[in-house]
Amino acid sequence: MQFNIINIPEVESTNSYAKQLIENGSMHEGDVISTRYQRNGKGQGSNSWESEHGSNLLISIILEPNMIPASQQFVLTQLISLAVVDLIKGYVFDEEVKIKWPNDIYVNNKKIAGLLFQNFVKGNEIEYSIVGIGINVNQKKYYSEAPNPISIFHFSDESTDLNLLQDKLLEDIGKNYENYKLNQDYQLLKSKYILNLYRYNEWSTYSDGKNFFQGKIIDVDGFGRLTLELKNDNEKKFGFKEIEFIN
Ligand code: BTN
């Protein structure tokens, strides 16, 4: 896959910039907006994304994933999350790198990267997708409300070259994306995702916004819903925002 890097030293948010390109019709698949500083970096929901000047990887990739039906948008989440996990594994040896469902990247119990997808759907097609990726790299301290951030810096003696990291990330994403385009092997993708899932098959505490309960993640369905086994032997599915990991 061919990537076209658009470097902007400082921007409101790479996702917002990518959205403007799409709205103006002036984008191509593989365009990558890359910056060293966002004035208003966006996290999931109404959260913001903290990143000090020049320390972290901040990019948005524009894709036209027409091989993925809109009803299977979660495929894209899985492809990209796995590429980020593989990348981070190459930087933090001997630590456990996992995907906290649906798409937070964790090292042990701390968040090292976040993904923000904005899909533009027409009928049952994803016309465009903006894949926003923030990886905490050389930042030493965090000041925002983010509960448990960590950077690659904490696992390495020297600072990490952001350009090299970006090249590797794009290579991994390109590979996953092209492979899936060719093979469309959902079972393989799903099994890799499950293998890398944080707290898979472990009893832990969750909340559904009203109650705390014990559950064990046993599956993720094609819509991206998480299936938990409960202590009463029942199974229950949860969509995004319907469940919170407690500890
Ligand atoms: C999350 O809340 O976990 C998602 C964080 C996504 C952050 C990245 S940084 C690059 C891109 N531009 C944004 O404004 N957000 C995403």
Side-chain angles (χ1 to χ4, degrees):
M1 158 158 223
Q2 212 43 39
F3 290 106
N4 166 40
I5 319 281
I6 303 165
N7 285 307
I8 307 177
E10 179 179 329
V11 72
E12 195 69 8
S13 145
T14 55
N15 266 43
S16 312
Y17 191 94
K19 189 161 177 259
Q20 274 168 22
L21 289 186
I22 291 174
E23 283 166 357
N24 298 340
S26 52
M27 80 302 138
H28 301 96
E29 174 160 79
D31 281 351
V32 178
I33 326 302
S34 174
T35 193
R36 291 292 180 256
Y37 184 67
Q38 301 185 119
R39 290 184 293 271
N40 187 16
K42 297 188 189 325
Q44 276 154 29
S46 54
N47 295 342
S48 56
W49 185 252
E50 177 184 351
S51 176
E52 71 184 16
H53 211 295
S55 291
N56 302 306
L57 192 83
L58 306 164
I59 61 170
S60 295
I61 309 169
I62 297 178
L63 296 173
E64 294 179 23
N66 41 31
M67 75 288 196
I68 304 170
S71 54
Q72 291 166 24
Q73 296 177 36
F74 194 60
V75 163
L76 198 60
T77 304
Q78 291 171 299
L79 287 173
I80 307 289
S81 310
L82 283 169
V84 180
V85 159
D86 281 345
L87 176 84
I88 305 286
K89 280 180 182 168
Y91 283 82
V92 301
F93 306 104
D94 301 329
E95 308 292 337
E96 200 167 71
V97 187
K98 295 276 181 188
I99 304 163
K100 183 178 173 206
W101 175 86
N103 53 26
D104 286 344
I105 311 301
Y106 266 51
V107 178
N108 303 322
N109 287 310
K110 299 200 165 190
K111 180 164 166 174
I112 198 152
L115 310 181
L116 185 63
F117 293 87
Q118 287 176 275
N119 293 333
F120 297 73
V121 170
K122 199 174 182 187
N124 193 28
E125 254 202 22
I126 309 176
E127 261 197 311
Y128 307 108
S129 187
I130 301 173
V131 180
I133 306 175
I135 302 181
N136 299 335
V137 186
N138 294 318
Q139 184 161 340
K140 298 182 179 64
K141 272 193 172 175
Y142 289 83
Y143 301 93
S144 69
E145 306 283 279
N148 51 2
I150 196 133
S151 308
I152 290 178
F153 163 80
H154 289 97
F155 304 97
S156 94
D157 301 333
E158 51 196 33
S159 72
T160 297
D161 183 312
L162 294 176
N163 290 324
L164 195 66
L165 185 76
Q166 177 174 295
D167 288 349
K168 286 188 187 165
L169 174 65
L170 293 177
E171 196 185 321
D172 287 350
I173 288 177
K175 266 193 221 147
N176 282 9
Y177 189 72
E178 291 296 344
N179 268 342
Y180 194 79
K181 221 177 201 172
L182 273 179
N183 305 325
Q184 310 246 351
D185 190 343
Y186 182 67
Q187 282 317 313
L188 181 65
L189 177 67
K190 178 178 164 174
S191 60
K192 282 189 187 161
Y193 181 84
I194 296 262
L195 199 67
N196 284 283
L197 203 53
Y198 177 75
R199 293 208 184 145
Y200 177 70
N201 215 11
E202 284 173 28
W203 287 105
S204 329
T205 309
Y206 297 88
S207 163
D208 58 10
K210 289 190 206 115
N211 300 305
F212 292 108
F213 58 92
Q214 291 289 301
K216 184 164 78 171
I217 299 172
I218 54 169
D219 199 13
V220 176
D221 74 10
F223 299 107
R225 290 176 304 190
L226 201 59
T227 310
L228 259 69
E229 181 182 324
L230 306 177
K231 282 287 184 186
N232 59 10
D233 270 351
N234 286 345
E235 293 178 5
K236 195 167 176 198
K237 289 188 184 212
F238 297 88
F240 188 48
K241 297 279 176 208
E242 290 175 359
I243 184 166
E244 195 187 335
F245 290 62
I246 300 301
N247 61 45

